[in-house]
Amino acid sequence: MKTLIRTLVAVAATVAMTGGAQAQTANAAEAWRQLTREDLEAARALLADNHPGAVEALGDAAFQARLRDGYDLALTRIPAVDGYAGYVAVMAGFAAGFGDEHIWSTPRLRGLPYAWAGLVMTRRGGAWVVGSQDGDDQGLVGARLASCDGMEAEAVAAARLAFRFSAPVEAQRLAHGGFMFVDDGNPFLTRPSRCVFETAEGPVETELQWRPVDTPRLAAALNAGRSAARAGFGVRTVGDSWWIAMERLSDEAAAVVQTMEERQAEWRDSPALVIDLRGNGGGDSRHGRRLADLIYGAEHTAARLRHGSACAALWRASPGNAAHVRAFAANAQDPETAAWYAALADAIDRAVAEGRPFDEPIPECPPADPVAGPAPEPAYAGQVVVVTDHACFSSCLLMVRDFRALGALHVGEATNGATRYMEVREIQLPSGLSSFSTLQKVGIGEDADIGPFAPAQVFPGSMSDTAALEAWVADQSAG
């Protein structure tokens, strides 16, 4: 915060020391451009010095190109920066270019100059539709966007959301689509003016009315339009089926698995188990594997879940990564966990001292050995259904991958996708105006990238409507 205050004072002082409004504006704009250059360089260095993909020996030419080309593109945008909104846009665009939602730029200040057209867009059935509309006239709610200013809907979304999407996958369209007709002052985007919507009565051409909107009102409209879903935690019965709600792979999820273990005499003969992962952004993947072992039997899952090779993951060797791991060791409550992290930090430090890029040499990874003979019969004979929404990310993806491989029916919304890079670390940038993240560990071998996963059946309604979802899932599992 002190850095932030010093930065803002310096910008204000630069303006105050100049004479005339035009000179003040020019000097303030140049101060913002300089600040943006410094933070961009710090973000680039964070990735170059700490992200595994930046190591040439790993062979990830795509990541290295994104780092190089994304930085060059961001530099070309800096001359258009004249304030906070432009600064935020440059940093957000740089982060989004990596195609990995683990890499982000997070502004620390509020107060972007929001304007909107009063429409919040969402995705239904693979199309862009109006999820909510501001004012008394609700005539466009549910209408499908066809085009804006002669540009088709998908192209409009790609252009308007380019600083928010990290990859053009359905889950990220769902997560960020509400901002299509929101303007946060980004100087690199153009506001659409006339759009065509397909309604029940036919096509309607509308001239968009852009106006300022305060943050609370915008947030309420975005929430209403996209209907964020939350599974919660717990075990319940819905008709003859059992619903297992795990909104995150956390300590609460461990308690849910414990409940399932204690009550397995009750659910073993049920016709269906529904694993509700709405809102699940990840956590500890061991909770998902433990639930799979409980439902199917550990011997069955061990035989069926042989994803790719058995290579271990590698940590990028850097002083910053070593310090981050050592902080894990200092904060761990479990002595065994603390010792493991301390040993890992020592290994990273040794690699840094010896000039090696990773804590261990990059291994050769032959394909996993095929399973000898058939897998044991699963311990549960009923139908397992996995429900996801677009929030499913990180370790949630590992859980979905496993249950799909075990034969579960996947329904709901498409998941997000993740790369083979893991373990987020975030730093505050020099200005104090935002933070930026990197990843520190890489999985080596086959099937290292995970997802996105498309469901076998897409839920046609709002994922937040639990009652409708329960009735629909009952129909899907019965079929």
Side-chain angles (χ1 to χ4, degrees):
M1 184 57 68
K2 291 180 180 179
T3 303
L4 171 59
I5 293 172
R6 285 197 299 269
T7 299
L8 297 178
V9 169
V11 171
T14 301
V15 173
M17 287 187 299
T18 60
Q22 186 174 3
Q24 289 181 23
T25 300
N27 280 274
E30 181 53 39
W32 277 107
R33 288 192 282 271
Q34 182 60 31
L35 180 151
T36 304
R37 289 187 193 95
E38 292 173 358
D39 277 8
L40 174 64
E41 176 55 34
R44 187 206 64 79
L46 174 69
L47 294 164
D49 297 342
N50 299 276
H51 194 292
V55 176
E56 289 191 9
L58 194 65
D60 191 342
F63 178 87
Q64 291 156 27
R66 283 174 166 172
L67 179 59
R68 179 187 62 250
D69 297 344
Y71 177 69
D72 290 343
L73 175 60
L75 286 176
T76 69
R77 289 171 169 161
I78 290 178
V81 173
D82 61 5
Y84 182 58
Y87 160 84
V88 169
V90 169
M91 301 307 300
F94 181 57
F98 288 93
D100 187 339
E101 288 213 312
H102 285 113
I103 297 177
W104 61 71
S105 174
T106 304
R108 296 296 181 91
L109 291 181
R110 297 182 180 181
L112 287 171
Y114 285 114
W116 72 334
L119 302 173
V120 174
M121 304 302 294
T122 188
R123 296 282 286 182
R124 290 179 191 160
W128 289 106
V129 303
V130 179
S132 68
Q133 184 174 5
D134 185 46
D136 295 332
D137 182 3
Q138 300 291 299
L140 289 179
V141 173
R144 181 179 66 83
L145 177 65
S147 64
C148 288
D149 302 327
M151 185 183 297
E152 292 187 356
E154 289 296 347
V156 174
R160 291 289 302 165
L161 302 171
F163 290 77
R164 297 181 182 274
F165 282 172
S166 66
V169 300
E170 189 68 7
Q172 293 189 31
R173 292 186 177 100
L174 283 158
H176 303 293
F179 287 91
M180 190 186 305
F181 295 129
V182 175
D183 186 337
D184 61 1
N186 187 325
F188 311 106
L189 298 180
T190 301
R191 294 177 177 179
S193 59
R194 299 189 68 85
C195 297
V196 177
F197 295 89
E198 297 290 346
T199 71
E201 290 75 30
V204 174
E205 185 171 5
T206 300
E207 183 172 354
L208 300 185
Q209 302 297 319
W210 292 88
R211 63 269 194 189
V213 59
D214 59 59
T215 301
R217 184 178 179 185
L218 176 61
L222 290 170
N223 288 334
R226 61 188 171 196
S227 300
R230 295 289 181 265
F233 297 93
V235 177
R236 67 183 189 276
T237 57
V238 178
D240 294 333
S241 301
W242 285 67
W243 276 65
I244 308 159
M246 301 173 74
E247 186 177 311
R248 185 166 176 79
L249 297 177
S250 57
D251 290 342
E252 294 92 338
V256 171
V257 178
Q258 181 65 34
T259 299
M260 287 293 291
E261 187 172 5
E262 294 169 353
R263 300 183 65 181
Q264 59 183 305
E266 302 174 59
W267 57 259
R268 281 289 174 195
D269 293 328
S270 65
L273 300 177
V274 181
I275 303 171
D276 187 353
L277 299 178
R278 288 177 296 164
N280 193 314
D284 188 340
S285 62
R286 291 176 297 180
H287 300 312
R289 182 56 182 266
R290 188 173 153 220
L291 181 62
D293 287 345
L294 176 63
I295 293 173
Y296 292 98
E299 291 183 359
H300 182 81
T301 58
R304 293 287 302 275
L305 300 180
R306 298 174 64 84
H307 302 292
S309 68
C311 289
L314 304 179
W315 286 76
R316 173 76 187 271
S318 74
N321 290 349
H324 188 70
V325 172
R326 204 171 297 284
F328 281 157
N331 295 324
Q333 301 298 314
D334 176 51
E336 185 175 345
T337 301
W340 186 87
Y341 276 121
L344 174 59
D346 289 341
I348 296 173
D349 280 336
R350 284 195 299 272
V352 171
E354 295 168 7
R356 293 185 284 111
F358 295 105
D359 63 319
E360 299 287 346
I362 301 174
E364 294 291 335
C365 292
D369 295 332
V371 177
E377 288 296 314
Y380 175 71
Q383 173 71 68
V384 178
V385 181
V386 175
V387 179
T388 64
D389 66 356
H390 63 271
C392 185
F393 185 52
S394 197
S395 293
C396 177
L397 297 172
L398 296 174
M399 184 173 176
V400 172
R401 179 193 66 179
D402 285 353
F403 274 90
R404 284 168 57 111
L406 291 165
L409 174 65
H410 178 200
V411 302
E413 287 180 346
T415 72
N416 212 327
T419 69
R420 58 179 172 161
Y421 299 112
M422 299 166 274
E423 298 292 346
V424 176
R425 179 162 71 84
E426 188 176 25
I427 67 165
Q428 181 171 286
L429 294 176
S431 72
L433 292 175
S434 63
S435 59
F436 206 90
S437 67
T438 185
L439 293 134
Q440 306 167 94
K441 187 168 76 169
V442 58
I444 306 295
E446 299 175 345
D447 300 330
D449 292 345
I450 308 167
F453 297 113
Q457 299 294 333
V458 176
F459 181 53
S462 169
M463 291 297 292
S464 63
D465 189 342
T466 298
L469 179 64
E470 289 175 347
W472 180 82
V473 168
D475 291 340
Q476 304 304 308
S477 58

